[in-house]
Amino acid sequence: MRTMRDWFGETTGGLPRTFWYLWAGSLINRLGSFVLVFLAIYLTQERDFSATQAGLVLGLWGVGGAVGTTAGGTLTDRWGRRPTLLTAHLGAAAMMLALGFARPLWAVAVGAFLLGTFAEAARPAFGAMMVDVVPEKDRLRAFSLNYWAINLGFACAAILAGLAAEVDYLLLFVVDASTTLVTALVIFFKVGETRRATAPGARKGGTAPAGALRTILADRVFLGFVVLNLFSALVFLQHISMLPIAMGDSGLSPATFGSVIALNGVLIVFGQLFVPRLIRGRSRSHVLALSSIVMGVGFGLTAFAGTAWFYGLTVLIWTIGEMLNSPSNATLIAELSPAELRGRYQGTFSLSWQVAGATAPVLGGLVREQSGNTALWLGCAVIGAGLAVAHLVSGPARERRATELRTPAVPVVTLDPPVPEVAESAATAPAEPLPAKTP
């Protein structure tokens, strides 16, 4: 009993209060995340759209997400984390309802685009705020705890959404909008701005320097990691677009899909909190390579699935890969992001997910229609193997860059009279966030 209590204290103790409000917001939001999980089924079974049309709508969701993460990253650095989060959540709640009432294909497509824009604009702000408030030594377990909350909500949402879909698909959109609104209220009342105050004399509008885009584009180590995440996301997001269609072709109901995909969240809920101790001290490149192999195997086996239990087995396998990938990914991005460009770096990384969100359903649908179901899933396995090799090759350069950014600059000693600095560099300034304030 004492061992379990010590483990629980080590896993959850000592984290800032603001983190726990953000954690609660993630849990509430994901408890109602009904729409994206069942959108492909809704479009093909309820609205009688073709698989290609459904892929187009999901692709536009991803395009909107790309726009949202780009804008959200810039606003996070210039406008602030808190106002960006509030605006994104309120806009997403409104567009969720609009999408639920949309009927023509063009209206559904526009609604999906705008919903993706608002929903994903929150991602860079949330990521930057997490890095702001959690000390570096605690980030692995903090990101693992947040991921655990996301998947606890997802597991419950997948089952509830499957039951709600049997009653009325509109209920999916109403509940999703409601939980998004509640999350916005938690942020409004409990979460203060965490961005550092602009230093005296610094450029008005934020702490990020001019030429931020050029800095990111010149960062080959970071962009290489973004590209690898893009290919990983192309595989992973097939569980939202092509997996429900494949299970439908096997004669399985939406409720069965909900139960099968809920296994993903259930396994993470029961296992994710043990992952930080399992991978602590191990090479992140090796962990990421192993996760790519496991995810590839899981999705590859889907080619041979035809029953609910077999689909469930494949979900459990690729979920293990996901559990290994997530905390290593999150901590590595945090360490590769210069403090003064944290929002933009988070936005650029999130952009890889949105590009994948736009292209994964389209590419998956095309491969499935042109080459068949087997080619689609075995292709995922091949991509997973290639990603494993790429992580092993590029890993040392990433760790060197992370070490460089952690190491403070050595001050230069000069005999000349000191000249007052206009502003302290955000890269070497103390990393303490502003205290959380309640409006």
Side-chain angles (χ1 to χ4, degrees), residues 282-302:
R282 301 183 185 276
S283 166
R284 280 184 292 206
S285 302
H286 292 172
V287 173
L288 289 170
L290 177 61
S291 74
S292 298
I293 289 290
V294 175
M295 279 203 293
V297 170
F299 280 101
L301 287 174
T302 309

Side-chain angles (χ1 to χ4, degrees), residues 373-395:
N373 191 62
T374 300
L376 169 64
W377 302 114
L378 293 183
C380 291
V382 172
I383 293 174
L387 286 171
V389 174
H391 277 301
L392 293 176
V393 172
S394 61

